[in-house]
Amino acid sequence: MKKMLLLTVIMLSGVAQDMNAQNNGVLVIPAIYDRIEEGTNGLLIVTKDNKQGVIDAMGNIIVPIQYDWVTMGKEGINRDGLIAVMNQGQGLNYSYGLYNKDGEMLVPMGNYARIDTGDFLGYEGLVELDVIVRGYNGITTKEGIRLRDGTVLSSYDRTSIKGGVGGLIHVKKNKKEGVLNRYGEVIVPVGRYESIYIQGPYINIQKKGMQNGQFWTKEGMLNSNGAVIVPIGMYEDCRGRGCDDRIHYYIEIESNNKRGALNDDGTVFIPIGKYESFSVINKNIALVKLNGKYGIVNKNGRMIVPIGRYNHLEYRNGMLLYSQNGKWGMLAENGNQVTLAEYDRIVPEMYSSGMAFVAKEGKIGVINSEGKIVVPLGNYYDGKIYKEIGYMKSNEGIMIFNKNGRILAPTGRYERLKQQYERIGGYKRDSQIPLNPSNDEHGLYIVSINGKMGVVRLW
């Protein structure tokens, strides 16, 4: 694809609608800010006079514009909509606080030396932080976890949120390891196993030793409740693996340099060494390859698409594709055909909410996961899909659509809007990606006017 135009589409719920064409492009948040960045949960991070805060889609202040730094974590991970704020004092003296998405302050400034702003801010109600501990030698810090009920867990030497899927907490005390759940309840007591690694919803456990001068390691696997799935030493190796969507995980096993897979209960999904290679799509099906040909099996090992029925099979960004006689089509998870093999190419986009670009006889269009046409084949040369919204480029301009095929912004409207402002687009991304498309009735764009930033509505 050619280089994208600078454009950020921000889908924000709770904005009063006015779909009249003459109102498209009206400024809905005044251009009074030095900087506006897209946040999560339909909110915007704004900067004014070197201070940051948070506003909603109507321009209402959610977090006062008085902090040196504001972050909301990553979309999707930040389930509870938590907002971390920070002010810097003298030297490296930082002060942190925490708000929720409604602007209520959960953690007053100064109570913690640090609040982690990485992937796990707000995941399952958990927040990583540093607890200030006053000792004999002055002020020191100790790691802690803010639990779902607001209490702080700080009785361990080290705490960290791991895995993402299970909301599990990895703890260490006196150089020994254990695991807690999101409520602070003990799942694996400290010291029960020599080493612990949290892998998605699984807990990898290890026992180590030495024999004949050689170190050895034996592994096993527990589920997120601490129950044994794979006893230590049953296989030479076992690990939790994320599937393509990183939501589903499976257990990969290995013996004699050959691989297989297990279900969550420890039953066999893919027998060790039965196939040349395999790729687990989710907890229900896997692609397998044997003698250079492809098939699909379910979690019980039953073949639902026989080896060699199609020339090629692949799973990409949520869609199962097949090729036959040089053409491409789509399959359902049960192996049934969703479309005939009639396209020259099918390209599912990451985070596309079940949409894919298709090419046929020099023209480009969009279909959904049911094989229905979203955008008819036409003379487009570029495009992008993000969640429920997408755009297509032609020589006439940009056309924006939703997953139901509704045209949100007809071809050329964006270009006309762009001519009205010095700049239109986002600060974080240089690609044309619609953001937060939970409600496609509103298309809000960040714009620049006389060096200041505001927001306009495109549709």
Side-chain angles (χ1 to χ4, degrees), residues 158-357:
R158 183 177 180 183
T159 59
S160 57
I161 307 167
K162 297 292 186 180
V165 174
L168 297 174
I169 304 169
H170 191 191
V171 297
K172 288 187 177 182
K173 192 170 186 177
N174 298 325
K175 298 183 179 181
K176 296 187 178 183
E177 305 174 63
V179 179
L180 311 180
N181 66 13
R182 64 179 69 100
Y183 302 101
E185 300 167 339
V186 175
I187 300 300
V188 179
V190 170
R192 174 171 289 179
Y193 301 104
E194 295 176 59
S195 294
I196 292 174
Y197 298 93
I198 296 177
Q199 301 166 336
Y202 310 119
I203 304 168
N204 180 280
I205 53 176
Q206 296 186 357
K207 184 177 181 181
K208 300 179 181 180
M210 177 182 286
Q211 185 174 5
N212 300 325
Q214 298 291 323
F215 286 103
W216 55 262
T217 299
K218 294 183 180 181
E219 298 185 346
M221 193 72 73
L222 310 179
N223 65 17
S224 59
N225 295 319
V228 176
I229 304 174
V230 179
I232 288 180
M234 176 175 283
Y235 302 102
E236 293 177 7
D237 196 7
C238 65
R239 62 188 71 88
R241 293 289 197 191
C243 299
D244 183 74
D245 55 14
R246 288 298 184 268
I247 296 174
H248 297 286
Y249 280 74
Y250 68 98
I251 301 170
E252 182 182 273
I253 53 176
E254 183 175 326
S255 289
N256 298 320
N257 295 319
K258 295 184 178 180
R259 298 166 51 241
L262 302 179
N263 296 305
D264 284 349
D265 59 1
T267 58
V268 174
F269 188 167
I270 305 293
I272 289 178
K274 183 173 182 178
Y275 301 103
E276 294 172 14
S277 63
F278 65 87
S279 175
V280 176
I281 294 174
N282 55 40
K283 291 185 181 295
N284 297 316
I285 59 173
L287 289 176
V288 296
K289 183 179 180 182
L290 186 63
N291 299 323
K293 298 182 179 181
Y294 299 86
I296 300 177
V297 298
N298 67 12
K299 64 180 181 180
N300 299 318
R302 185 174 67 87
M303 189 75 64
I304 59 176
V305 175
I307 296 284
R309 173 178 288 178
Y310 302 112
N311 298 135
H312 185 73
L313 288 168
E314 66 178 65
Y315 182 77
R316 185 188 304 179
N317 295 330
M319 290 188 176
L320 186 56
L321 309 178
Y322 73 99
S323 69
Q324 193 76 359
N325 301 322
K327 298 290 184 179
W328 287 89
M330 188 187 306
L331 297 177
E333 189 173 302
N334 61 7
N336 293 338
Q337 288 186 352
V338 175
T339 72
L340 298 176
E342 58 179 318
Y343 296 104
D344 298 326
R345 189 179 180 192
I346 301 178
V347 184
E349 287 275 81
M350 186 175 292
Y351 311 120
S352 65
S353 188
M355 288 189 285
F357 291 108

Side-chain angles (χ1 to χ4, degrees), residues 1-5 381-383 391 393 395:
M1 289 188 178
K2 300 180 180 179
K3 186 176 180 180
M4 309 296 183
L5 297 175
Y381 64 83
D382 201 353
Y391 75 84
K393 287 184 185 179
N395 292 331

